[in-house]
Amino acid sequence: MSSTSQKHRNFVAEPMGEKPVTDLAGVGEVLGKRLETAGFDKAFVVLGQFLVLKKDRELFQEWMKDTCNANSKQSTDCYQCLKDWCDEFL
C-alpha cells in the first residue's frame, strides 16, 4: 500500500462521529462545498454512500466524479480512507 497522508491517518485513527466531510482524505474545501451542496455534509453521510455502493472502488470513484467532479487522485484517496476506516471500525 502506498503511504497515506496525515489527514488519512488522523481520520482512520478514531471513530467518525460528526466529522465534517472535509476531514476525509482527498476532500478539500472545494470538493467539500460541492458535496455539501449535494447533501453530503458529514463524513458519515459519505460513508453511507460508500456502503450503499458495497465498498466498490470503481462505483465509488464514479459517484465522486459525478457528484462533486473529483479527480482520480481525490476519489482514490477518499475511497482508501473510508475503506481503511471500515476495516478498523466495522
Side-chain angles (χ1 to χ4, degrees), residues 3-64:
S3 64
T4 56
S5 67
Q6 186 64 47
K7 188 175 183 181
H8 176 110
R9 291 189 296 275
N10 289 346
F11 189 86
V12 173
E14 61 188 15
M16 196 174 301
E18 295 285 324
K19 289 182 181 182
V21 70
T22 52
D23 278 9
L24 288 164
V27 179
E29 290 302 316
V30 173
L31 289 188
K33 291 288 183 204
R34 291 176 187 161
L35 285 165
E36 288 173 13
T37 299
F40 298 89
D41 59 334
K42 299 286 185 185
F44 72 82
V45 183
V46 177
L47 172 67
Q49 183 65 29
F50 176 79
L51 295 174
V52 164
L53 296 173
K54 299 181 179 181
K55 303 182 195 176
D56 183 277
R57 178 188 296 264
E58 189 176 320
L59 289 175
F60 183 77
Q61 288 186 279
E62 188 67 29
W63 172 81
M64 280 202 72

